[in-house]
Amino acid sequence: MTQGNGHGNGAAVKLTGKDFKSDQEVRWCPGCGDYAILSAVQGFMPSLGIPRERIVFVSGIGCSSRFPYYMNTYGMHSIHGRAPAIATGLSVTRPDLSVWVITGDGDALSIGGNHLIHALRRNVNLKILLFNNQIYGLTKGQYSPTSELGKVTKSTPMGSLDHPFNPVSVALGVEATFVARSIDSDRAHLTEVLGKAAAHQGTAFVEIYQNCNIFNDGAFDLLKEPDTRADNQIRLEHGKPIRFGKDGERGVRLTDDCRVELVDVADVGEDALLVHDEHRAEPSLAFMLSRLSHGADGPTPIGVFRDVERPVYDELMSEQVEAATARQGRGELAKLLHGGDTWQLG
Amino acid sequence: MTKPVQVLDRVTIRFAGDSGDGMQLTGDRFTSETAAFGNDLSTLPDFPAEIRAPAGSIPGVSGFQLHFADHDILTPGDAPDVLVAMNPAALKANLGDLPKGASLIVNTDSFTARNLDKAGYAANPLEDGTLADHQVHPVPLTSMTLEALKEFDISKKEAERAKNMFALGLMSWLYHRPTEATVAYLEKKFASRPVIAKANVTAFKAGWNYGETTEAFAVSYEIKPAKLTPGTYRNISGNLALAYGLVAASQLSGLPLFLGAYPITPASDILHELSKHKAFGVRTFQAEDEIAGVGAALGAAFGGALGVTTSSGPGIALKAETIGLGVSLELPLLVIDIQRSGPSTGMPTKTEQADLLQVLYGRNGEAPVPVVAPCTPSDCFHAAVEAARIALKYRTPVVLLSDGYLANGSEPWLLPDVASLPDISTSFATEPNHEGDFWPYLRDETTLARPWAVPGTPGLEHRIGGLEKADGTGNISYDPDNHDRMINLRAAKVAGIAADIPPVEVDHQDGSGLLVLGWGSTYGPIGAAVRRVRATGARVSVAHLRHLNPFPANLGEVLAAYDQVLIPEMNLGQLRMLVRSRYLVDAVGYNKVRGLPFKAEELADAIIGLLDEGAGK
């Protein structure tokens, strides 16, 4: 265990969710899914045992990016799409901190797509929470890079022409070391996923399906409503056969020609089901699972898709500094300036 | 045999050849020999953006100009007194710069029909009278190098590559340069291949011996050492000095240095250099793009590091929004712009001063940033420390405006005593500052700087962002009066720095009505031009700006004392526009944007022309 993720040298502290509420009035629309996520995160934070001053929330622009103002920690509400880059500079220079990035589908995948994929491939010690509501909220209702094809919005009266991103597929495609998905309203599941993300060394990427009740209400109802939930939530659990449905009567199996498909357990038998391995080094199977749906439009996996170990960028950078210092001794300015070919006059 | 020696006070030599001919190395070595000998010197490399343009073609020509003298000099020289041309393309590309009577040393072996054709020569210029105005020394450099190395067990290609060392040996003889350091250098550079080391040393010595014995060179030249301030010197380029200045700023402030950068000509050398100095606690981050480079630097600054980003004009354009965020967050940040020719991609390896208005005004909203500009290669060191001082003290992004000419040019540098460098340390907030609370925007009454409370400090947890903040608390505010107050506070903070920078110094000449005002890398050519004008008996004063925002407090007064103000700039008049609007002074410009530094002669002509105009001639 390294000193990353905010654990530093101090002893664990005991805080409550209330300690993480700032004095600022929360200004999201009434009924917004962001409230549930904020409450879950505030409730979850004490379990980390990290003092508030060692926690930093960095966000970009968009509805979700107001999040840091409501957390009684250090925080920065930055500019559109750049939070992963800004957080990278903070994280690599301050390995004693727990650094969280709050972003949305437009912020992370449209204007900031480049920074997201590079943070993920480097495995910087960041916890990235992407609130995906499949719409642009703050700019009042244009389609986003995760909106379904053909979506009619203010900027697409005849339907959008863009094939959408599946955020989990994107993250797995760039070999992120921790990739998960959860749902704003499922506090228990979200809290569990946040805990695993926080414990991960390196970049943890969590997509959170978040309802925008103003511009895209009900986008995730298939996964949320009591009558459809069981048939559409595929809960991934490490080491267990992948099953869903009210009585676990449905499942996922790997076919001989290398596809994952949904099956009736009664037809194939339990032994034929795919057993989920979140630590599997090779990301292709996790990627295949992420392809089961394209955005909560049918049975959709939630939970941890991938959780593997890879050297953490911050630590590698610190190690180079330490190695150079060990080899050359602590740098001396006078020696540096006199280091080239010098000559003496007078 | 003793040949006559002629004493000169100064010489300008240009080495020119194909990109693969090793001209930069040859120039570097000749510079080191010259520095060791004790001359004052100034250099200007001139290389193509293409890594290897087609061999023998004009775009593939790489050059290195060196001016050295027995007195202090300010520029790499207007025009070469001597041109060493390794092939027809090098001759053709540089001949136009050669004054009548200048010497030409040409590698005759390369003047083949094929190479002449590649350079666009219909006939051989060595034979058709093209060079009648010059003293031509035809030297079969390649064949003599091959002859000198015929005993070596190396390929013909490897032997041929040593021809630049033959040329260096010849030039070293011609100008009485000390040779020991070059021999030592070659032995070290090729330590892993002793036979190549020996071949290069042999070629170098063969060139020297050829000079001494041939009748082609009847005279050799001596340029006595210059009388410079006593002390320890080294030769330094602007980018190297800048990198050292950043390391120094880190040491002097006690803050770890973090560089976020994306490779771009002509700034990349700073990234390369700083990446070598991890033992100073330096962290370098080659970002995915320009925006991430500055973003990471700003993130590091939020955490209490000395955050720096380096780039050139096109990259600075991409960083604009993040610099604006830095203005709003009021965090220290160094933005280093090594200007190059624009617009757009322009001429990446060529110099220009046309980013001044971009860095001052190229952001949305009222977003003032201080701007500092070094004036010589070695001054880049001190300018970096000064920029860091301002950034840290006033919690603001600061732009450092260097350019391609300073970045790659070099000069001897009298090494500073480290103990004499300024203390630029700053302090972090550790306690609540307002009735038991922490207000991140409660300002210092004198500097108007806000407290810098870094994560990890208990009790000072706070949130900042790009939204407008309430004066004091830093909470989001859309209050109209508050916005107006914050806009004015940020402007006043930057304007107030004028009280904390030295007044502009004027090199005033009694009776002169004309002030020449410059900034940045035009310092050398302007100074040399003013010397020329004064040598004619005419009177002219000169001043140079290091701080472009805010201007020194006395600038208005200085300008008002002259009837005429001339502002030479490698742009279309950006400082001139600022000066005219700010001080209502009818300044005139001398503006050329050729991608090359000014020549002293053209500036002297401009000054004399203006003096004549002022005198009603």
Side-chain angles (χ1 to χ4, degrees), chain A residues 333 337, chain B residues 248 252 381-382 385 416-423:
Chain A
L333 187 56
L337 301 186
Chain B
L252 297 167
F381 176 86
H382 300 284
V385 174
D417 175 9
V418 167
S420 72
L421 297 172
D423 175 8

Side-chain angles (χ1 to χ4, degrees), chain B residues 74 238 241 374-381 406 411 520-521 523-524:
Chain B
L74 299 166
C375 63
T376 69
S378 66
D379 187 44
C380 290
F381 176 86
L406 294 180
E411 64 176 355
S521 74
Y523 173 80

Side-chain angles (χ1 to χ4, degrees), chain A residues 22-24 27 51-56 58 61 66 68-80 82 84-90 92-97 111 114-116 118-119 121-122 313-314 317-322 324-325 328-334 336-346, chain B residues 29 32 35-36 38 226 228-235 244 247-248 251-252 258 276-289 291-292 295-300 302-305 321-322 325 329 331 381 412-413 415-416 418 421 453-467 475-476 478:
Chain A
S22 79
D23 61 355
Q24 297 298 296
R27 298 190 199 181
R52 287 181 316 187
E53 69 269 15
R54 277 217 291 275
I55 300 169
V56 184
V58 181
I61 292 292
R66 297 294 178 97
Y69 289 117
Y70 310 134
M71 292 296 296
N72 192 7
T73 61
Y74 282 88
M76 187 196 293
H77 176 218
S78 75
I79 45 178
H80 211 6
R82 316 304 168 200
I86 291 169
T88 293
L90 178 63
V92 301
T93 50
R94 292 292 306 273
D96 57 318
L97 302 174
I111 194 167
N114 199 33
H115 307 306
L116 177 73
H118 288 278
R121 82 173 161 90
R122 289 188 184 109
Y313 187 81
D314 319 42
M317 191 180 268
S318 291
E319 280 166 19
Q320 287 198 344
V321 168
E322 284 156 22
T325 310
Q328 303 159 26
R330 183 92 192 135
E332 286 174 50
L333 187 56
L336 175 70
L337 301 186
H338 288 256
D341 285 343
T342 62
W343 67 94
Q344 200 74 31
L345 289 182
Chain B
R29 287 318 311 162
S32 287
L228 301 171
T229 310
T232 305
Y233 285 79
R234 70 180 283 175
N235 197 55
Y244 285 177
V247 173
Q251 298 282 302
L252 297 167
F258 176 86
K276 296 179 201 163
H277 299 298
K278 296 182 168 70
F280 284 87
V282 173
R283 281 173 163 79
T284 55
F285 171 61
Q286 183 176 313
E288 59 270 23
D289 60 27
I291 300 172
L298 188 62
F302 184 60
E321 189 189 12
T322 311
L325 177 63
L329 297 181
L331 282 172
F381 176 86
W413 181 29
L415 291 172
V418 167
L421 297 172
V454 301
T457 314
L460 307 192
E461 294 84 4
H462 64 281
R463 280 64 56 192
I464 55 178
L467 286 170
N475 292 332
I476 300 171
Y478 282 83

Side-chain angles (χ1 to χ4, degrees), chain B residues 362-379:
Chain B
R363 287 171 296 282
N364 63 305
E366 297 285 356
V369 297
V371 179
V372 177
C375 63
T376 69
S378 66
D379 187 44

